[in-house]
Amino acid sequence: MHSAVNETLSSLDRTRRPIIGITAVVTQIKFAIFEMDATFVPQTFVQKVADAGCIPVLLAPQPGVEQTIDGLDGLLLLAGPDADPALYGQDKHEKTGWNDTTRDRAELALIEAALEDKLPTLGICRGEQLINILRGGTLQQHLPDVVGHDNHSPGGKEYGQQKVRLEPGSLIADFLKKDVVPCHHHQVIDQVGEGLTVTAWSEDNTVEAIEVDGHPFAVGVQWHAEESDDDSPFTALADAARRRMAVRRG
């Protein structure tokens, strides 16, 4: 009896889809006649993860969220509000937007646990920046002050289009299919954190991607990968999650 049960469980494990945690935000929404706070993730990200053959799970920005790591096969860090400049020892620039310090703390703890556990991780925009902050890096709080243009964030809902050059031999050079990417950001990595390598730049030398040294798959991209018709960052995360599952099965 026990042998049959174990065999069934083993078969289910081999066919199980990877579980990808997605960082969520608490925000006010309107539902029917009600207005309420809700834990929210744009459906675009959920669908990208599902289309890559994985099961998306929303991670609310609550204390202790890092304890979910053991139940995940991969982690997707989403875009969002500007991180609190105090996290990297700076005063707030006049162009820096509002800060969600509760979300900052929760996500930094989550990232720290994920990197320590070698969990496959993809950070998008703010997600990339938080990886850098965790490792002691800093941000340029208003990119137009440096590059002299607004092409990375033209305004409103419009996305800028940036051509990127990739570091040969990097993870991102191995999987990215298109070198023109959609951007919507006014902040960017300035000083690079410890144990991180820059692996993509835009034509004005803005940092567009980083990778965590010695990690099987921990990649941050400054652009909005969810707005591109190149889904390779999501499929690469899914593939890394499957490799982790295979190793765990032995």
Side-chain angles (χ1 to χ4, degrees):
M1 178 66 174
H2 289 297
S3 177
V5 170
N6 288 338
E7 184 177 341
T8 299
L9 291 174
S10 178
S11 176
L12 288 173
D13 187 61
R14 286 194 297 271
T15 59
R16 180 174 73 80
R17 288 184 289 164
I19 298 172
I20 305 297
I22 307 176
T23 53
V25 61
V26 176
T27 188
Q28 191 172 77
I29 66 167
K30 186 172 183 180
F31 181 74
I33 63 172
F34 303 101
E35 291 187 1
M36 66 187 78
D37 287 340
T39 300
F40 171 78
V41 166
Q43 181 62 24
T44 303
F45 294 101
V46 172
Q47 196 61 52
K48 294 287 188 183
V49 168
D51 288 346
C54 302
I55 299 173
V57 175
L58 276 58
L59 303 178
Q62 297 293 321
V65 67
E66 68 276 9
Q67 296 175 31
T68 63
I69 290 299
D70 287 344
L72 301 177
D73 303 302
L75 177 64
L76 178 60
L77 307 166
L78 297 199
D82 295 339
D84 184 359
L87 293 170
Y88 48 95
Q90 291 185 9
D91 294 330
K92 193 171 184 178
H93 188 286
E94 63 180 6
K95 295 291 187 180
T96 295
W98 70 279
N99 312 127
D100 185 342
T101 55
T102 298
R103 183 179 173 189
D104 287 345
R105 289 193 297 270
E107 291 185 357
L108 286 169
L110 181 64
I111 295 167
E112 184 174 26
L115 297 185
E116 182 177 343
D117 196 51
K118 303 295 185 182
L119 185 73
T121 300
L122 173 63
I124 294 176
C125 197
R126 165 189 162 90
E128 179 215 37
Q129 295 171 3
L130 286 179
I131 293 172
N132 189 58
I133 291 170
L134 177 68
R135 289 300 184 89
T138 65
L139 303 183
Q140 171 53 243
Q141 291 190 54
H142 193 56
L143 183 58
D145 289 349
V146 178
V147 296
H149 61 75
D150 294 316
N151 296 344
H152 292 265
S153 186
K157 298 179 180 179
E158 186 178 352
Y159 287 83
Q161 298 295 319
Q162 294 293 316
K163 184 176 177 63
V164 295
R165 69 180 190 277
L166 309 177
E167 178 66 25
S170 63
L171 288 172
I172 200 161
D174 185 55
F175 67 73
L176 195 69
K177 294 182 173 64
K178 296 190 176 181
D179 63 359
V180 176
V181 298
C183 294
H184 195 290
H185 62 92
H186 80 113
Q187 296 194 339
V188 69
I189 288 175
D190 187 10
Q191 295 179 356
V192 180
E194 183 179 355
L196 304 177
T197 298
V198 179
T199 54
W201 304 260
S202 59
E203 291 181 308
D204 58 15
N205 290 320
T206 294
V207 173
E208 292 288 351
I210 56 171
E211 297 176 13
V212 178
D213 300 342
H215 194 291
F217 188 93
V219 177
V221 298
Q222 183 59 66
W223 65 86
H224 281 259
E226 79 282 3
E227 295 295 328
S228 173
D229 57 2
D230 178 4
D231 290 339
S232 61
F234 301 97
T235 56
L237 174 63
D239 289 344
R242 292 187 187 96
R243 290 193 296 270
R244 176 184 171 89
M245 291 172 62
V247 170
R248 282 185 158 186
R249 283 197 299 264

